[in-house]
Amino acid sequence: MPEKNDHYYMQLAIQEALKAQQIGEVPIGAVLVCQDEVVATSFNLRETLQTTASHAEMLVIDKGNDHFNSWRLEHCTLYVTLEPCQMCAGAIVQARLKRVVFGAFDQKAGCAGSLMNLLEDERFNHQVEVRSGVEEAICGQLLSDFFRSLRQKKKALKEKNRDEQSQPAE
Protein backbone atom coordinates (compact mmCIF):
# COMPACT_ATOMS: atom_id res chain seq x y z
CA MET A 1 0.00 0.00 0.00
CA PRO A 2 1.42 3.43 -0.89
CA GLU A 3 2.49 5.76 1.88
CA LYS A 4 -0.36 8.07 2.81
CA ASN A 5 1.18 11.52 2.51
CA ASP A 6 0.20 14.84 0.96
CA HIS A 7 0.95 13.54 -2.54
CA TYR A 8 -1.18 10.44 -1.99
CA TYR A 9 -4.20 12.46 -0.86
CA MET A 10 -3.72 15.03 -3.63
CA GLN A 11 -3.88 12.18 -6.13
CA LEU A 12 -7.29 11.34 -4.65
CA ALA A 13 -8.33 14.99 -5.08
CA ILE A 14 -7.15 14.81 -8.71
CA GLN A 15 -9.40 11.77 -9.21
CA GLU A 16 -12.30 13.87 -7.92
CA ALA A 17 -11.35 16.66 -10.34
CA LEU A 18 -11.48 14.17 -13.20
CA LYS A 19 -15.05 13.28 -12.17
CA ALA A 20 -15.97 16.96 -12.48
CA GLN A 21 -14.33 17.14 -15.88
CA GLN A 22 -16.30 14.11 -17.10
CA ILE A 23 -19.57 15.96 -16.54
CA GLY A 24 -18.38 19.26 -18.00
CA GLU A 25 -17.55 20.98 -14.73
CA VAL A 26 -14.34 22.87 -14.06
CA PRO A 27 -11.98 20.08 -12.89
CA ILE A 28 -11.49 20.88 -9.23
CA GLY A 29 -11.54 18.12 -6.63
CA ALA A 30 -11.32 18.05 -2.86
CA VAL A 31 -10.68 15.43 -0.19
CA LEU A 32 -11.12 15.84 3.56
CA VAL A 33 -8.81 13.73 5.73
CA CYS A 34 -8.81 13.26 9.48
CA GLN A 35 -6.21 11.09 11.22
CA ASP A 36 -5.20 9.40 7.95
CA GLU A 37 -8.81 8.53 7.10
CA VAL A 38 -10.65 10.00 4.12
CA VAL A 39 -13.91 11.25 5.58
CA ALA A 40 -15.31 13.09 2.55
CA THR A 41 -14.65 13.69 -1.13
CA SER A 42 -16.24 16.02 -3.63
CA PHE A 43 -15.73 17.96 -6.82
CA ASN A 44 -16.91 21.18 -8.36
CA LEU A 45 -20.66 21.16 -9.14
CA ARG A 46 -21.39 24.85 -9.71
CA GLU A 47 -22.70 24.44 -13.26
CA THR A 48 -24.63 21.26 -12.46
CA LEU A 49 -26.36 22.62 -9.35
CA GLN A 50 -26.38 26.28 -10.48
CA THR A 51 -25.48 27.42 -6.98
CA THR A 52 -22.68 29.82 -6.14
CA ALA A 53 -21.41 27.82 -3.18
CA SER A 54 -21.05 24.50 -5.04
CA HIS A 55 -17.27 24.66 -5.07
CA ALA A 56 -15.45 21.42 -4.26
CA GLU A 57 -14.19 22.81 -0.94
CA MET A 58 -17.62 23.94 0.23
CA LEU A 59 -19.21 20.60 -0.66
CA VAL A 60 -16.51 18.57 1.07
CA ILE A 61 -16.72 20.76 4.19
CA ASP A 62 -20.50 20.16 4.31
CA LYS A 63 -19.93 16.41 4.01
CA GLY A 64 -17.34 16.62 6.80
CA ASN A 65 -19.80 18.49 9.00
CA ASP A 66 -22.34 15.72 8.40
CA HIS A 67 -19.75 13.00 9.07
CA PHE A 68 -18.73 14.46 12.43
CA ASN A 69 -22.11 16.01 13.23
CA SER A 70 -20.21 19.20 13.98
CA TRP A 71 -19.30 22.47 12.30
CA ARG A 72 -15.79 22.12 13.72
CA LEU A 73 -13.28 20.24 11.59
CA GLU A 74 -10.26 21.20 13.66
CA HIS A 75 -8.34 17.94 13.28
CA CYS A 76 -8.83 17.69 9.52
CA THR A 77 -6.76 18.48 6.45
CA LEU A 78 -8.39 19.61 3.23
CA TYR A 79 -6.72 18.64 -0.04
CA VAL A 80 -7.88 20.63 -3.07
CA THR A 81 -6.52 20.79 -6.60
CA LEU A 82 -6.85 24.59 -6.89
CA GLU A 83 -6.02 27.31 -4.40
CA PRO A 84 -9.18 28.27 -2.50
CA CYS A 85 -11.06 31.44 -3.43
CA GLN A 86 -12.22 34.03 -0.87
CA MET A 87 -15.53 32.24 -0.23
CA CYS A 88 -13.89 28.87 0.33
CA ALA A 89 -11.02 30.34 2.37
CA GLY A 90 -13.58 32.00 4.64
CA ALA A 91 -15.45 28.72 5.09
CA ILE A 92 -12.17 26.92 5.80
CA VAL A 93 -11.33 29.38 8.58
CA GLN A 94 -14.89 29.15 9.96
CA ALA A 95 -14.72 25.34 9.95
CA ARG A 96 -11.50 25.54 11.98
CA LEU A 97 -9.63 23.23 9.63
CA LYS A 98 -6.11 22.42 10.76
CA ARG A 99 -4.44 22.35 7.32
CA VAL A 100 -5.08 23.04 3.66
CA VAL A 101 -2.96 21.47 0.95
CA PHE A 102 -3.54 22.69 -2.58
CA GLY A 103 -2.12 21.98 -6.00
CA ALA A 104 -2.32 24.81 -8.53
CA PHE A 105 -2.15 28.48 -7.66
CA ASP A 106 -5.03 30.73 -8.76
CA GLN A 107 -3.62 34.10 -9.73
CA LYS A 108 -7.10 35.55 -10.36
CA ALA A 109 -8.96 34.46 -7.21
CA GLY A 110 -6.59 32.59 -4.88
CA CYS A 111 -6.85 33.54 -1.22
CA ALA A 112 -4.26 31.18 0.23
CA GLY A 113 -1.25 33.12 -1.01
CA SER A 114 -1.81 34.43 -4.54
CA LEU A 115 -4.00 37.53 -4.08
CA MET A 116 -4.00 37.39 -0.31
CA ASN A 117 -3.76 34.77 2.41
CA LEU A 118 -6.96 34.64 4.42
CA LEU A 119 -6.01 31.27 5.87
CA GLU A 120 -2.94 32.40 7.77
CA ASP A 121 -4.07 35.96 8.55
CA GLU A 122 -3.37 36.51 12.24
CA ARG A 123 -6.18 39.07 12.53
CA PHE A 124 -8.67 36.18 12.52
CA ASN A 125 -9.31 34.08 15.61
CA HIS A 126 -8.16 30.94 13.77
CA GLN A 127 -5.32 30.31 11.35
CA VAL A 128 -4.95 27.39 9.00
CA GLU A 129 -1.60 25.86 8.06
CA VAL A 130 -1.11 26.01 4.28
CA ARG A 131 0.99 23.84 1.99
CA SER A 132 0.93 24.87 -1.66
CA GLY A 133 2.07 23.43 -4.95
CA VAL A 134 1.53 19.71 -4.21
CA GLU A 135 1.14 17.98 -7.60
CA GLU A 136 0.98 21.52 -9.01
CA ALA A 137 1.90 20.55 -12.59
CA ILE A 138 -0.84 17.92 -12.87
CA CYS A 139 -3.48 20.12 -11.22
CA GLY A 140 -2.56 23.10 -13.38
CA GLN A 141 -2.52 21.05 -16.57
CA LEU A 142 -6.02 19.71 -15.87
CA LEU A 143 -7.33 23.25 -15.64
CA SER A 144 -5.35 24.54 -18.63
CA ASP A 145 -6.55 21.67 -20.81
CA PHE A 146 -10.15 22.15 -19.71
CA PHE A 147 -10.22 25.88 -20.46
CA ARG A 148 -8.33 25.43 -23.75
CA SER A 149 -10.94 22.88 -24.85
CA LEU A 150 -13.75 25.22 -23.79
CA ARG A 151 -12.25 28.09 -25.81
CA GLN A 152 -11.85 25.83 -28.86
CA LYS A 153 -15.49 24.71 -28.63
CA LYS A 154 -16.69 28.32 -28.38
CA LYS A 155 -14.52 29.32 -31.34
CA ALA A 156 -15.82 26.42 -33.45
CA LEU A 157 -19.43 27.30 -32.58
CA LYS A 158 -18.82 30.96 -33.46
CA GLU A 159 -17.28 29.95 -36.82
CA LYS A 160 -20.19 27.58 -37.53
CA ASN A 161 -22.71 30.33 -36.79
CA ARG A 162 -20.80 32.78 -38.98
CA ASP A 163 -20.68 30.25 -41.85
CA GLU A 164 -24.42 29.58 -41.55
CA GLN A 165 -25.21 33.29 -41.62
CA SER A 166 -23.05 33.90 -44.69
CA GLN A 167 -24.79 31.19 -46.74
CA PRO A 168 -27.42 32.53 -49.16
CA ALA A 169 -31.01 31.73 -48.29
CA GLU A 170 -32.74 29.33 -50.67
Side-chain angles (χ1 to χ4, degrees):
M1 187 165 142
E3 179 187 354
K4 292 183 176 180
N5 59 23
D6 288 345
H7 293 276
Y8 171 83
Y9 292 116
M10 187 60 72
Q11 286 295 325
L12 298 180
I14 290 167
Q15 293 307 308
E16 292 298 308
L18 291 170
K19 291 177 187 176
Q21 184 177 35
Q22 289 173 348
I23 62 170
E25 289 280 358
V26 177
I28 301 168
V31 174
L32 187 66
V33 176
C34 188
Q35 298 174 341
D36 290 327
E37 177 191 348
V38 174
V39 295
T41 63
S42 196
F43 51 87
N44 196 43
L45 286 171
R46 195 162 62 164
E47 293 299 326
T48 301
L49 298 177
Q50 287 296 303
T51 56
T52 305
S54 293
H55 288 198
E57 302 97 307
M58 301 292 284
L59 296 170
V60 86
I61 287 170
D62 282 346
K63 287 180 179 183
N65 296 147
D66 289 345
H67 178 83
F68 290 109
N69 195 30
S70 175
W71 62 270
R72 293 178 187 268
L73 302 174
E74 54 205 352
H75 301 293
C76 297
T77 298
L78 172 67
Y79 294 87
V80 62
T81 56
L82 181 66
E83 179 181 3
C85 70
Q86 69 276 23
M87 174 180 67
C88 295
I92 289 163
V93 170
Q94 290 296 319
R96 307 296 195 265
L97 282 161
K98 181 179 180 178
R99 290 178 73 220
V100 169
V101 179
F102 71 86
F105 285 87
D106 185 348
Q107 299 301 325
K108 294 182 179 180
C111 289
S114 288
L115 297 180
M116 62 186 66
N117 190 341
L118 292 176
L119 301 179
E120 295 178 313
D121 192 321
E122 293 183 2
R123 294 174 293 178
F124 292 117
N125 64 335
H126 178 76
Q127 291 77 44
V128 181
E129 179 187 332
V130 176
R131 180 169 181 208
S132 58
V134 176
E135 303 294 343
E136 181 178 4
I138 295 168
C139 295
Q141 194 64 52
L142 268 174
L143 290 160
S144 295
D145 291 349
F146 176 82
F147 286 113
R148 182 180 312 106
S149 174
L150 198 61
R151 286 189 300 274
Q152 288 170 346
K153 287 176 187 174
K154 285 182 181 180
K155 183 179 177 182
L157 183 60
K158 188 176 180 179
E159 288 173 3
K160 180 183 175 206
N161 289 339
R162 186 179 62 231
D163 290 346
E164 288 174 356
Q165 291 174 354
S166 66
Q167 303 235 342
E170 294 180 23

